[in-house]
Amino acid sequence: MATSQQTQSGYHTCSCGESFETTEDLLEHGREAHGLHVF
């Protein structure tokens, strides 16, 4: 596991530990993997 990537600006990290380059990718992951719905 590379923790250095999480410190770069522009990355969004889910509470499960996965990192995403865009907010939209993070929200999509949240909906699909965790059943979260953001309005």
Side-chain angles (χ1 to χ4, degrees):
M1 180 186 308
T3 56
S4 60
Q5 289 184 346
Q6 294 179 358
T7 60
Q8 293 178 358
S9 60
Y11 278 84
H12 303 274
T13 306
C14 182
S15 58
C16 72
E18 290 194 51
S19 297
F20 303 91
E21 292 187 16
T22 68
T23 303
E24 193 57 43
D25 287 343
L26 175 63
L27 294 177
E28 183 177 347
H29 163 76
R31 286 190 294 266
E32 294 179 357
H34 303 295
L36 301 176
H37 298 280
V38 180
F39 298 100

PDB file of all heavy atoms in Angstrom:
ATOM      1  N   MET A   1       0.846  -1.190   0.000  1.00  0.00           N
ATOM      2  CA  MET A   1       0.000   0.000   0.000  1.00  0.00           C
ATOM      3  C   MET A   1       0.884   1.244   0.000  1.00  0.00           C
ATOM      4  O   MET A   1       1.768   1.370   0.826  1.00  0.00           O
ATOM      5  CB  MET A   1      -0.900   0.004   1.243  1.00  0.00           C
ATOM      6  CG  MET A   1      -1.801   1.216   1.281  1.00  0.00           C
ATOM      7  SD  MET A   1      -2.763   1.362   2.796  1.00  0.00           S
ATOM      8  CE  MET A   1      -3.503  -0.245   2.899  1.00  0.00           C
ATOM      9  N   ALA A   2       0.645   2.115  -0.936  1.00  0.00           N
ATOM     10  CA  ALA A   2       1.437   3.341  -1.019  1.00  0.00           C
ATOM     11  C   ALA A   2       0.693   4.473  -0.334  1.00  0.00           C
ATOM     12  O   ALA A   2      -0.342   4.919  -0.806  1.00  0.00           O
ATOM     13  CB  ALA A   2       1.714   3.689  -2.468  1.00  0.00           C
ATOM     14  N   THR A   3       1.215   4.920   0.779  1.00  0.00           N
ATOM     15  CA  THR A   3       0.544   5.988   1.513  1.00  0.00           C
ATOM     16  C   THR A   3       0.942   7.364   0.998  1.00  0.00           C
ATOM     17  O   THR A   3       0.283   8.341   1.271  1.00  0.00           O
ATOM     18  CB  THR A   3       0.863   5.911   3.015  1.00  0.00           C
ATOM     19  OG1 THR A   3       2.282   5.945   3.172  1.00  0.00           O
ATOM     20  CG2 THR A   3       0.305   4.648   3.618  1.00  0.00           C
ATOM     21  N   SER A   4       2.011   7.426   0.208  1.00  0.00           N
ATOM     22  CA  SER A   4       2.481   8.722  -0.277  1.00  0.00           C
ATOM     23  C   SER A   4       1.482   9.360  -1.236  1.00  0.00           C
ATOM     24  O   SER A   4       1.393  10.570  -1.327  1.00  0.00           O
ATOM     25  CB  SER A   4       3.842   8.582  -0.963  1.00  0.00           C
ATOM     26  OG  SER A   4       3.746   7.708  -2.067  1.00  0.00           O
ATOM     27  N   GLN A   5       0.718   8.541  -1.953  1.00  0.00           N
ATOM     28  CA  GLN A   5      -0.244   9.087  -2.900  1.00  0.00           C
ATOM     29  C   GLN A   5      -1.357   9.847  -2.202  1.00  0.00           C
ATOM     30  O   GLN A   5      -1.914  10.770  -2.750  1.00  0.00           O
ATOM     31  CB  GLN A   5      -0.857   7.965  -3.741  1.00  0.00           C
ATOM     32  CG  GLN A   5       0.124   7.365  -4.732  1.00  0.00           C
ATOM     33  CD  GLN A   5      -0.542   6.320  -5.616  1.00  0.00           C
ATOM     34  OE1 GLN A   5      -1.646   5.869  -5.327  1.00  0.00           O
ATOM     35  NE2 GLN A   5       0.126   5.920  -6.662  1.00  0.00           N
ATOM     36  N   GLN A   6      -1.694   9.472  -0.983  1.00  0.00           N
ATOM     37  CA  GLN A   6      -2.786  10.102  -0.271  1.00  0.00           C
ATOM     38  C   GLN A   6      -2.445  11.520   0.159  1.00  0.00           C
ATOM     39  O   GLN A   6      -3.335  12.286   0.479  1.00  0.00           O
ATOM     40  CB  GLN A   6      -3.166   9.259   0.951  1.00  0.00           C
ATOM     41  CG  GLN A   6      -3.743   7.912   0.558  1.00  0.00           C
ATOM     42  CD  GLN A   6      -4.098   7.062   1.765  1.00  0.00           C
ATOM     43  OE1 GLN A   6      -3.871   7.469   2.887  1.00  0.00           O
ATOM     44  NE2 GLN A   6      -4.624   5.885   1.526  1.00  0.00           N
ATOM     45  N   THR A   7      -1.172  11.892   0.149  1.00  0.00           N
ATOM     46  CA  THR A   7      -0.787  13.225   0.582  1.00  0.00           C
ATOM     47  C   THR A   7      -0.737  14.211  -0.577  1.00  0.00           C
ATOM     48  O   THR A   7      -0.560  15.396  -0.375  1.00  0.00           O
ATOM     49  CB  THR A   7       0.584  13.196   1.284  1.00  0.00           C
ATOM     50  OG1 THR A   7       1.560  12.696   0.377  1.00  0.00           O
ATOM     51  CG2 THR A   7       0.552  12.311   2.516  1.00  0.00           C
ATOM     52  N   GLN A   8      -0.877  13.726  -1.790  1.00  0.00           N
ATOM     53  CA  GLN A   8      -0.833  14.621  -2.946  1.00  0.00           C
ATOM     54  C   GLN A   8      -2.118  15.429  -3.041  1.00  0.00           C
ATOM     55  O   GLN A   8      -3.194  14.919  -2.761  1.00  0.00           O
ATOM     56  CB  GLN A   8      -0.651  13.818  -4.238  1.00  0.00           C
ATOM     57  CG  GLN A   8       0.692  13.143  -4.336  1.00  0.00           C
ATOM     58  CD  GLN A   8       0.811  12.315  -5.601  1.00  0.00           C
ATOM     59  OE1 GLN A   8      -0.127  12.219  -6.374  1.00  0.00           O
ATOM     60  NE2 GLN A   8       1.960  11.724  -5.813  1.00  0.00           N
ATOM     61  N   SER A   9      -2.000  16.681  -3.438  1.00  0.00           N
ATOM     62  CA  SER A   9      -3.194  17.492  -3.612  1.00  0.00           C
ATOM     63  C   SER A   9      -3.974  16.990  -4.817  1.00  0.00           C
ATOM     64  O   SER A   9      -3.399  16.495  -5.780  1.00  0.00           O
ATOM     65  CB  SER A   9      -2.809  18.959  -3.816  1.00  0.00           C
ATOM     66  OG  SER A   9      -2.003  19.085  -4.966  1.00  0.00           O
ATOM     67  N   GLY A  10      -5.266  17.113  -4.752  1.00  0.00           N
ATOM     68  CA  GLY A  10      -6.099  16.665  -5.856  1.00  0.00           C
ATOM     69  C   GLY A  10      -6.609  15.254  -5.693  1.00  0.00           C
ATOM     70  O   GLY A  10      -7.361  14.782  -6.522  1.00  0.00           O
ATOM     71  N   TYR A  11      -6.208  14.587  -4.632  1.00  0.00           N
ATOM     72  CA  TYR A  11      -6.696  13.233  -4.407  1.00  0.00           C
ATOM     73  C   TYR A  11      -7.744  13.244  -3.306  1.00  0.00           C
ATOM     74  O   TYR A  11      -7.612  13.963  -2.321  1.00  0.00           O
ATOM     75  CB  TYR A  11      -5.553  12.292  -4.026  1.00  0.00           C
ATOM     76  CG  TYR A  11      -4.792  11.787  -5.226  1.00  0.00           C
ATOM     77  CD1 TYR A  11      -3.774  12.545  -5.782  1.00  0.00           C
ATOM     78  CD2 TYR A  11      -5.106  10.567  -5.803  1.00  0.00           C
ATOM     79  CE1 TYR A  11      -3.080  12.091  -6.899  1.00  0.00           C
ATOM     80  CE2 TYR A  11      -4.410  10.105  -6.910  1.00  0.00           C
ATOM     81  CZ  TYR A  11      -3.404  10.872  -7.457  1.00  0.00           C
ATOM     82  OH  TYR A  11      -2.728  10.425  -8.550  1.00  0.00           O
ATOM     83  N   HIS A  12      -8.770  12.439  -3.502  1.00  0.00           N
ATOM     84  CA  HIS A  12      -9.832  12.312  -2.509  1.00  0.00           C
ATOM     85  C   HIS A  12      -9.788  10.882  -1.992  1.00  0.00           C
ATOM     86  O   HIS A  12      -9.748   9.950  -2.784  1.00  0.00           O
ATOM     87  CB  HIS A  12     -11.197  12.602  -3.146  1.00  0.00           C
ATOM     88  CG  HIS A  12     -11.254  13.950  -3.779  1.00  0.00           C
ATOM     89  ND1 HIS A  12     -11.581  15.078  -3.074  1.00  0.00           N
ATOM     90  CD2 HIS A  12     -11.013  14.354  -5.044  1.00  0.00           C
ATOM     91  CE1 HIS A  12     -11.537  16.118  -3.889  1.00  0.00           C
ATOM     92  NE2 HIS A  12     -11.195  15.705  -5.088  1.00  0.00           N
ATOM     93  N   THR A  13      -9.789  10.720  -0.683  1.00  0.00           N
ATOM     94  CA  THR A  13      -9.670   9.394  -0.096  1.00  0.00           C
ATOM     95  C   THR A  13     -10.948   9.025   0.632  1.00  0.00           C
ATOM     96  O   THR A  13     -11.416   9.771   1.486  1.00  0.00           O
ATOM     97  CB  THR A  13      -8.486   9.334   0.885  1.00  0.00           C
ATOM     98  OG1 THR A  13      -7.316   9.775   0.212  1.00  0.00           O
ATOM     99  CG2 THR A  13      -8.270   7.928   1.393  1.00  0.00           C
ATOM    100  N   CYS A  14     -11.481   7.869   0.293  1.00  0.00           N
ATOM    101  CA  CYS A  14     -12.667   7.357   0.970  1.00  0.00           C
ATOM    102  C   CYS A  14     -12.261   6.837   2.345  1.00  0.00           C
ATOM    103  O   CYS A  14     -11.100   6.505   2.566  1.00  0.00           O
ATOM    104  CB  CYS A  14     -13.280   6.232   0.135  1.00  0.00           C
ATOM    105  SG  CYS A  14     -14.795   5.543   0.834  1.00  0.00           S
ATOM    106  N   SER A  15     -13.223   6.768   3.253  1.00  0.00           N
ATOM    107  CA  SER A  15     -12.921   6.259   4.588  1.00  0.00           C
ATOM    108  C   SER A  15     -12.454   4.805   4.557  1.00  0.00           C
ATOM    109  O   SER A  15     -11.830   4.338   5.496  1.00  0.00           O
ATOM    110  CB  SER A  15     -14.146   6.401   5.485  1.00  0.00           C
ATOM    111  OG  SER A  15     -15.236   5.703   4.929  1.00  0.00           O
ATOM    112  N   CYS A  16     -12.748   4.092   3.458  1.00  0.00           N
ATOM    113  CA  CYS A  16     -12.301   2.700   3.352  1.00  0.00           C
ATOM    114  C   CYS A  16     -10.843   2.622   2.913  1.00  0.00           C
ATOM    115  O   CYS A  16     -10.259   1.557   2.914  1.00  0.00           O
ATOM    116  CB  CYS A  16     -13.198   1.923   2.386  1.00  0.00           C
ATOM    117  SG  CYS A  16     -12.962   2.352   0.654  1.00  0.00           S
ATOM    118  N   GLY A  17     -10.275   3.744   2.484  1.00  0.00           N
ATOM    119  CA  GLY A  17      -8.859   3.772   2.139  1.00  0.00           C
ATOM    120  C   GLY A  17      -8.566   3.925   0.656  1.00  0.00           C
ATOM    121  O   GLY A  17      -7.428   4.133   0.274  1.00  0.00           O
ATOM    122  N   GLU A  18      -9.580   3.839  -0.207  1.00  0.00           N
ATOM    123  CA  GLU A  18      -9.348   3.991  -1.637  1.00  0.00           C
ATOM    124  C   GLU A  18      -9.223   5.468  -1.992  1.00  0.00           C
ATOM    125  O   GLU A  18      -9.903   6.309  -1.404  1.00  0.00           O
ATOM    126  CB  GLU A  18     -10.492   3.365  -2.435  1.00  0.00           C
ATOM    127  CG  GLU A  18     -10.505   1.857  -2.346  1.00  0.00           C
ATOM    128  CD  GLU A  18     -11.416   1.234  -3.392  1.00  0.00           C
ATOM    129  OE1 GLU A  18     -11.268   1.588  -4.576  1.00  0.00           O
ATOM    130  OE2 GLU A  18     -12.280   0.428  -3.014  1.00  0.00           O
ATOM    131  N   SER A  19      -8.365   5.774  -2.957  1.00  0.00           N
ATOM    132  CA  SER A  19      -8.150   7.152  -3.373  1.00  0.00           C
ATOM    133  C   SER A  19      -8.674   7.375  -4.784  1.00  0.00           C
ATOM    134  O   SER A  19      -8.596   6.482  -5.633  1.00  0.00           O
ATOM    135  CB  SER A  19      -6.654   7.491  -3.329  1.00  0.00           C
ATOM    136  OG  SER A  19      -6.163   7.401  -2.015  1.00  0.00           O
ATOM    137  N   PHE A  20      -9.164   8.588  -5.026  1.00  0.00           N
ATOM    138  CA  PHE A  20      -9.732   8.929  -6.325  1.00  0.00           C
ATOM    139  C   PHE A  20      -9.234  10.296  -6.750  1.00  0.00           C
ATOM    140  O   PHE A  20      -9.018  11.173  -5.920  1.00  0.00           O
ATOM    141  CB  PHE A  20     -11.267   8.920  -6.240  1.00  0.00           C
ATOM    142  CG  PHE A  20     -11.800   7.596  -5.762  1.00  0.00           C
ATOM    143  CD1 PHE A  20     -12.013   7.370  -4.416  1.00  0.00           C
ATOM    144  CD2 PHE A  20     -12.030   6.567  -6.647  1.00  0.00           C
ATOM    145  CE1 PHE A  20     -12.462   6.138  -3.959  1.00  0.00           C
ATOM    146  CE2 PHE A  20     -12.484   5.330  -6.206  1.00  0.00           C
ATOM    147  CZ  PHE A  20     -12.698   5.118  -4.861  1.00  0.00           C
ATOM    148  N   GLU A  21      -9.063  10.475  -8.067  1.00  0.00           N
ATOM    149  CA  GLU A  21      -8.514  11.730  -8.580  1.00  0.00           C
ATOM    150  C   GLU A  21      -9.550  12.841  -8.594  1.00  0.00           C
ATOM    151  O   GLU A  21      -9.203  14.009  -8.514  1.00  0.00           O
ATOM    152  CB  GLU A  21      -7.963  11.522  -9.992  1.00  0.00           C
ATOM    153  CG  GLU A  21      -6.734  10.640 -10.016  1.00  0.00           C
ATOM    154  CD  GLU A  21      -6.116  10.579 -11.395  1.00  0.00           C
ATOM    155  OE1 GLU A  21      -6.450  11.428 -12.238  1.00  0.00           O
ATOM    156  OE2 GLU A  21      -5.305   9.682 -11.632  1.00  0.00           O
ATOM    157  N   THR A  22     -10.826  12.491  -8.719  1.00  0.00           N
ATOM    158  CA  THR A  22     -11.859  13.517  -8.789  1.00  0.00           C
ATOM    159  C   THR A  22     -12.943  13.261  -7.757  1.00  0.00           C
ATOM    160  O   THR A  22     -13.143  12.130  -7.309  1.00  0.00           O
ATOM    161  CB  THR A  22     -12.512  13.562 -10.182  1.00  0.00           C
ATOM    162  OG1 THR A  22     -13.259  12.362 -10.366  1.00  0.00           O
ATOM    163  CG2 THR A  22     -11.485  13.708 -11.286  1.00  0.00           C
ATOM    164  N   THR A  23     -13.647  14.324  -7.402  1.00  0.00           N
ATOM    165  CA  THR A  23     -14.756  14.192  -6.466  1.00  0.00           C
ATOM    166  C   THR A  23     -15.833  13.294  -7.043  1.00  0.00           C
ATOM    167  O   THR A  23     -16.435  12.484  -6.335  1.00  0.00           O
ATOM    168  CB  THR A  23     -15.353  15.576  -6.156  1.00  0.00           C
ATOM    169  OG1 THR A  23     -14.318  16.413  -5.649  1.00  0.00           O
ATOM    170  CG2 THR A  23     -16.461  15.484  -5.121  1.00  0.00           C
ATOM    171  N   GLU A  24     -16.066  13.396  -8.344  1.00  0.00           N
ATOM    172  CA  GLU A  24     -17.103  12.587  -8.986  1.00  0.00           C
ATOM    173  C   GLU A  24     -16.771  11.099  -8.882  1.00  0.00           C
ATOM    174  O   GLU A  24     -17.648  10.274  -8.626  1.00  0.00           O
ATOM    175  CB  GLU A  24     -17.260  12.992 -10.451  1.00  0.00           C
ATOM    176  CG  GLU A  24     -18.511  12.414 -11.087  1.00  0.00           C
ATOM    177  CD  GLU A  24     -19.794  12.802 -10.360  1.00  0.00           C
ATOM    178  OE1 GLU A  24     -19.940  13.972  -9.967  1.00  0.00           O
ATOM    179  OE2 GLU A  24     -20.646  11.918 -10.178  1.00  0.00           O
ATOM    180  N   ASP A  25     -15.499  10.761  -9.060  1.00  0.00           N
ATOM    181  CA  ASP A  25     -15.090   9.360  -8.916  1.00  0.00           C
ATOM    182  C   ASP A  25     -15.319   8.881  -7.484  1.00  0.00           C
ATOM    183  O   ASP A  25     -15.747   7.756  -7.251  1.00  0.00           O
ATOM    184  CB  ASP A  25     -13.612   9.188  -9.282  1.00  0.00           C
ATOM    185  CG  ASP A  25     -13.380   9.300 -10.778  1.00  0.00           C
ATOM    186  OD1 ASP A  25     -14.348   9.194 -11.547  1.00  0.00           O
ATOM    187  OD2 ASP A  25     -12.215   9.499 -11.164  1.00  0.00           O
ATOM    188  N   LEU A  26     -15.014   9.744  -6.516  1.00  0.00           N
ATOM    189  CA  LEU A  26     -15.215   9.388  -5.114  1.00  0.00           C
ATOM    190  C   LEU A  26     -16.695   9.182  -4.815  1.00  0.00           C
ATOM    191  O   LEU A  26     -17.071   8.209  -4.151  1.00  0.00           O
ATOM    192  CB  LEU A  26     -14.643  10.492  -4.221  1.00  0.00           C
ATOM    193  CG  LEU A  26     -14.888  10.326  -2.719  1.00  0.00           C
ATOM    194  CD1 LEU A  26     -14.218   9.076  -2.189  1.00  0.00           C
ATOM    195  CD2 LEU A  26     -14.411  11.551  -1.974  1.00  0.00           C
ATOM    196  N   LEU A  27     -17.545  10.070  -5.325  1.00  0.00           N
ATOM    197  CA  LEU A  27     -18.986   9.948  -5.087  1.00  0.00           C
ATOM    198  C   LEU A  27     -19.546   8.695  -5.741  1.00  0.00           C
ATOM    199  O   LEU A  27     -20.396   8.003  -5.162  1.00  0.00           O
ATOM    200  CB  LEU A  27     -19.714  11.188  -5.616  1.00  0.00           C
ATOM    201  CG  LEU A  27     -19.402  12.497  -4.880  1.00  0.00           C
ATOM    202  CD1 LEU A  27     -20.130  13.655  -5.535  1.00  0.00           C
ATOM    203  CD2 LEU A  27     -19.759  12.402  -3.416  1.00  0.00           C
ATOM    204  N   GLU A  28     -19.065   8.390  -6.950  1.00  0.00           N
ATOM    205  CA  GLU A  28     -19.531   7.182  -7.633  1.00  0.00           C
ATOM    206  C   GLU A  28     -19.140   5.940  -6.843  1.00  0.00           C
ATOM    207  O   GLU A  28     -19.926   5.007  -6.685  1.00  0.00           O
ATOM    208  CB  GLU A  28     -18.953   7.128  -9.038  1.00  0.00           C
ATOM    209  CG  GLU A  28     -19.442   5.937  -9.842  1.00  0.00           C
ATOM    210  CD  GLU A  28     -18.920   5.925 -11.255  1.00  0.00           C
ATOM    211  OE1 GLU A  28     -18.374   6.959 -11.703  1.00  0.00           O
ATOM    212  OE2 GLU A  28     -19.030   4.883 -11.910  1.00  0.00           O
ATOM    213  N   HIS A  29     -17.920   5.935  -6.327  1.00  0.00           N
ATOM    214  CA  HIS A  29     -17.463   4.822  -5.503  1.00  0.00           C
ATOM    215  C   HIS A  29     -18.333   4.692  -4.256  1.00  0.00           C
ATOM    216  O   HIS A  29     -18.725   3.593  -3.878  1.00  0.00           O
ATOM    217  CB  HIS A  29     -16.002   5.041  -5.102  1.00  0.00           C
ATOM    218  CG  HIS A  29     -15.576   4.188  -3.952  1.00  0.00           C
ATOM    219  ND1 HIS A  29     -15.292   2.846  -4.069  1.00  0.00           N
ATOM    220  CD2 HIS A  29     -15.403   4.489  -2.638  1.00  0.00           C
ATOM    221  CE1 HIS A  29     -14.955   2.366  -2.882  1.00  0.00           C
ATOM    222  NE2 HIS A  29     -15.016   3.340  -1.995  1.00  0.00           N
ATOM    223  N   GLY A  30     -18.650   5.810  -3.631  1.00  0.00           N
ATOM    224  CA  GLY A  30     -19.473   5.788  -2.433  1.00  0.00           C
ATOM    225  C   GLY A  30     -20.847   5.211  -2.692  1.00  0.00           C
ATOM    226  O   GLY A  30     -21.377   4.434  -1.900  1.00  0.00           O
ATOM    227  N   ARG A  31     -21.433   5.567  -3.841  1.00  0.00           N
ATOM    228  CA  ARG A  31     -22.742   5.051  -4.188  1.00  0.00           C
ATOM    229  C   ARG A  31     -22.684   3.545  -4.454  1.00  0.00           C
ATOM    230  O   ARG A  31     -23.530   2.788  -3.976  1.00  0.00           O
ATOM    231  CB  ARG A  31     -23.294   5.776  -5.427  1.00  0.00           C
ATOM    232  CG  ARG A  31     -23.751   7.191  -5.147  1.00  0.00           C
ATOM    233  CD  ARG A  31     -24.499   7.767  -6.327  1.00  0.00           C
ATOM    234  NE  ARG A  31     -23.653   7.949  -7.497  1.00  0.00           N
ATOM    235  CZ  ARG A  31     -23.021   9.071  -7.803  1.00  0.00           C
ATOM    236  NH1 ARG A  31     -23.120  10.123  -7.027  1.00  0.00           N
ATOM    237  NH2 ARG A  31     -22.289   9.148  -8.884  1.00  0.00           N
ATOM    238  N   GLU A  32     -21.696   3.121  -5.208  1.00  0.00           N
ATOM    239  CA  GLU A  32     -21.629   1.728  -5.626  1.00  0.00           C
ATOM    240  C   GLU A  32     -21.138   0.799  -4.533  1.00  0.00           C
ATOM    241  O   GLU A  32     -21.659  -0.288  -4.343  1.00  0.00           O
ATOM    242  CB  GLU A  32     -20.723   1.593  -6.861  1.00  0.00           C
ATOM    243  CG  GLU A  32     -21.305   2.288  -8.086  1.00  0.00           C
ATOM    244  CD  GLU A  32     -20.386   2.169  -9.292  1.00  0.00           C
ATOM    245  OE1 GLU A  32     -19.280   1.608  -9.162  1.00  0.00           O
ATOM    246  OE2 GLU A  32     -20.789   2.651 -10.366  1.00  0.00           O
ATOM    247  N   ALA A  33     -20.120   1.221  -3.794  1.00  0.00           N
ATOM    248  CA  ALA A  33     -19.490   0.330  -2.827  1.00  0.00           C
ATOM    249  C   ALA A  33     -20.122   0.420  -1.436  1.00  0.00           C
ATOM    250  O   ALA A  33     -20.114  -0.554  -0.696  1.00  0.00           O
ATOM    251  CB  ALA A  33     -17.999   0.637  -2.734  1.00  0.00           C
ATOM    252  N   HIS A  34     -20.661   1.595  -1.101  1.00  0.00           N
ATOM    253  CA  HIS A  34     -21.124   1.802   0.265  1.00  0.00           C
ATOM    254  C   HIS A  34     -22.606   2.162   0.360  1.00  0.00           C
ATOM    255  O   HIS A  34     -23.123   2.356   1.448  1.00  0.00           O
ATOM    256  CB  HIS A  34     -20.305   2.903   0.938  1.00  0.00           C
ATOM    257  CG  HIS A  34     -18.824   2.613   0.938  1.00  0.00           C
ATOM    258  ND1 HIS A  34     -18.252   1.569   1.612  1.00  0.00           N
ATOM    259  CD2 HIS A  34     -17.805   3.256   0.306  1.00  0.00           C
ATOM    260  CE1 HIS A  34     -16.948   1.573   1.407  1.00  0.00           C
ATOM    261  NE2 HIS A  34     -16.653   2.570   0.617  1.00  0.00           N
ATOM    262  N   GLY A  35     -23.271   2.316  -0.784  1.00  0.00           N
ATOM    263  CA  GLY A  35     -24.690   2.644  -0.766  1.00  0.00           C
ATOM    264  C   GLY A  35     -24.975   4.056  -0.317  1.00  0.00           C
ATOM    265  O   GLY A  35     -26.059   4.352   0.169  1.00  0.00           O
ATOM    266  N   LEU A  36     -24.005   4.948  -0.479  1.00  0.00           N
ATOM    267  CA  LEU A  36     -24.195   6.328  -0.066  1.00  0.00           C
ATOM    268  C   LEU A  36     -24.860   7.129  -1.174  1.00  0.00           C
ATOM    269  O   LEU A  36     -24.592   6.924  -2.350  1.00  0.00           O
ATOM    270  CB  LEU A  36     -22.846   6.984   0.269  1.00  0.00           C
ATOM    271  CG  LEU A  36     -22.047   6.297   1.373  1.00  0.00           C
ATOM    272  CD1 LEU A  36     -20.704   7.002   1.531  1.00  0.00           C
ATOM    273  CD2 LEU A  36     -22.809   6.321   2.679  1.00  0.00           C
ATOM    274  N   HIS A  37     -25.708   8.076  -0.785  1.00  0.00           N
ATOM    275  CA  HIS A  37     -26.376   8.939  -1.760  1.00  0.00           C
ATOM    276  C   HIS A  37     -26.132  10.381  -1.365  1.00  0.00           C
ATOM    277  O   HIS A  37     -26.587  10.821  -0.307  1.00  0.00           O
ATOM    278  CB  HIS A  37     -27.880   8.634  -1.817  1.00  0.00           C
ATOM    279  CG  HIS A  37     -28.158   7.236  -2.253  1.00  0.00           C
ATOM    280  ND1 HIS A  37     -28.132   6.851  -3.577  1.00  0.00           N
ATOM    281  CD2 HIS A  37     -28.431   6.105  -1.548  1.00  0.00           C
ATOM    282  CE1 HIS A  37     -28.409   5.561  -3.661  1.00  0.00           C
ATOM    283  NE2 HIS A  37     -28.575   5.088  -2.440  1.00  0.00           N
ATOM    284  N   VAL A  38     -25.404  11.106  -2.220  1.00  0.00           N
ATOM    285  CA  VAL A  38     -25.066  12.500  -1.931  1.00  0.00           C
ATOM    286  C   VAL A  38     -25.905  13.376  -2.854  1.00  0.00           C
ATOM    287  O   VAL A  38     -25.935  13.182  -4.063  1.00  0.00           O
ATOM    288  CB  VAL A  38     -23.569  12.755  -2.170  1.00  0.00           C
ATOM    289  CG1 VAL A  38     -23.229  14.207  -1.862  1.00  0.00           C
ATOM    290  CG2 VAL A  38     -22.740  11.813  -1.308  1.00  0.00           C
ATOM    291  N   PHE A  39     -26.567  14.349  -2.267  1.00  0.00           N
ATOM    292  CA  PHE A  39     -27.438  15.236  -3.066  1.00  0.00           C
ATOM    293  C   PHE A  39     -26.800  16.601  -3.189  1.00  0.00           C
ATOM    294  O   PHE A  39     -26.158  17.067  -2.263  1.00  0.00           O
ATOM    295  CB  PHE A  39     -28.805  15.382  -2.405  1.00  0.00           C
ATOM    296  CG  PHE A  39     -29.525  14.062  -2.312  1.00  0.00           C
ATOM    297  CD1 PHE A  39     -29.534  13.336  -1.142  1.00  0.00           C
ATOM    298  CD2 PHE A  39     -30.181  13.557  -3.419  1.00  0.00           C
ATOM    299  CE1 PHE A  39     -30.188  12.133  -1.062  1.00  0.00           C
ATOM    300  CE2 PHE A  39     -30.845  12.345  -3.345  1.00  0.00           C
ATOM    301  CZ  PHE A  39     -30.845  11.628  -2.161  1.00  0.00           C
TER     302      PHE A  39
END
